[in-house]
Every structure is written in structure tokens, then in C-alpha cells.
Amino acid sequence: MARLFAEFFGTFWLVLGGCGSAVLAAGFPEVGIGLMGVSLAFGLTVLTMAYAVGHVSGGHFNPAVSVGLWAAGRFPAAQLLPYIASQVLGGLVAGGVLYLIASGQPGFDVTGGFASNGYGEHSPGGYSLVAAAICEIVMTAFFLIVILGATDRRAPAGFAPIAIGLCLTLIHLISIPVTNTSVNPARSTGVALYVGDWAVDQLWLFWLTPIIGAVLGALAYRLIGGPAPRD
């Protein structure tokens, strides 16, 4: 249960910190943090919670990461569903807290997107379904390669959260214009269900493609890194 609570709170912080920065601070008049600030916020959520509770649960905070670690032989299949359930629940609760905060501002309208992921007319840059799918697969694959490499027993100890947090920051800097950046089905679900409508209709892509990317990244690292698993 301690592991599941750690995954719940870690994912809660990721969604509240990352999506919260996008909803509450990104476009704030004159002092908005912009794309770079939102990207950094997502990276900082993972970095801080990886140090805070990563030693308890492994610090996945992402169903795609859990699946990728399983594909790499570093995570037991029996724990996949409990971890994913905890992550999604953490994301949903964070989305609810963010909704309560954001709705305290006059004129707030959740249909504006609420940091949801999308493609086509709901992509920030108008990118197509195919472009969005490729982007999410590639970004998640490299995210897993960095995670597996940084946590390999041969890597310098103690620095993994920094590498992983900076990798997530870089991923957002690249892909926010394409999909608003998912690479995490729990993050996508945590806000999409409050928007409903198109956000829920497009949610399937942000479950399917990160998981495909995570498995591909795990397989790639097994070719690169060889048999040096670390739990």
C-alpha cells in the first residue's frame, strides 16, 4: 500500500504542478511563464517527487513508464494494474483540485482546453493525428531510454531524478506545440475527464501512443544497455 500511495501522490503532484502551471500561470498577463515555464514545471514535478518517494515505489507516476519498465524486465506484471490504477486516480484527484482552483476566477471556461492533449483542431499548433501519434511515440520512447539508462546500476548513483526531470522538460519544450505533450496517460486522463467532449474523444491516442513508445524505448534500451536490470 505504501508503494501505491507513493504513486498516487507522485502522479497527483505531476498533474497539479504541470497542468496547473499551464492553466493558471502560462498566459498570466505580463508575467506569464509561457511554454518554457510549463515545460520546466513538468520536469520539476518528476524531479521533486522522484527524490521524495522514488525510493518507496520506484517513482513511475505514469502508466506508460510502468509498462515500459515491465517490458524491460524491471517491473513485475502482477503490479501493473495496481500501479496504473493509483496513477490514474492521483491524476483525476489533481485535476479536480485544479478545477476547483481555476473555477475561482471569473470567466473561467473549462471548454478552453484545461491543459488537455489533442490533435487536429485541438492541437496547439494544428498538427494532424499522424503527426501527434509519431510525436508521442518517439518522445515516450526516448523518455524510457533515459529512465532505464539513468537508473541502471552502472550509472552514477543519486542523479537519476535530475536526468529524468530534465528529459521530461526537454520533451515538453519539443512537443507542447504538437499535442500539449502527454507521454503519460494518467496526466491526459486527469484533465480530459473534466473537459469531456473532444478531450475524451481524443483520449484514446494519449493512452495508446505513450504505451507503444514506452515498449519501443524499453526494447531499444535492452539492445543498447544489455542485461543489467535494477529494481
Side-chain angles (χ1 to χ4, degrees), residues 111-131:
T111 61
F114 199 52
S116 292
N117 303 113
Y119 56 84
E121 64 178 310
H122 301 293
S123 157
Y127 287 84
S128 68
L129 167 60
V130 173

Side-chain angles (χ1 to χ4, degrees), residues 10-12 15 30 39 42 89 105 116 134 138 144 152 160-161 163 175 183 187 190 203 206 227:
T11 313
F12 175 95
V15 173
E30 298 182 10
S39 300
F42 273 100
L89 184 59
Q105 182 183 49
S116 292
I134 293 171
V138 172
L144 261 293
D152 194 298
S175 60
V183 303
R187 168 262 187 269
L203 185 59
F206 303 104

Side-chain angles (χ1 to χ4, degrees), residues 2-93:
R3 292 183 178 187
L4 299 183
F5 278 123
E7 287 297 305
F8 172 89
F9 285 113
T11 313
F12 175 95
W13 188 236
L14 185 152
V15 173
L16 184 63
C19 295
S21 70
V23 172
L24 304 175
F28 194 76
E30 298 182 10
V31 293
I33 61 174
L35 185 152
M36 185 173 292
V38 173
S39 300
L40 185 59
F42 273 100
L44 288 173
T45 62
V46 170
L47 188 156
T48 53
M49 290 308 291
Y51 275 122
V53 300
H55 57 283
V56 178
S57 67
H60 300 187
F61 318 141
N62 182 338
V65 170
S66 296
V67 172
L69 291 174
W70 164 78
R74 301 218 196 154
F75 190 67
Q79 294 185 30
L80 271 177
L81 287 181
Y83 262 54
I84 291 172
S86 297
Q87 293 155 358
V88 171
L89 184 59
L92 286 170
V93 174

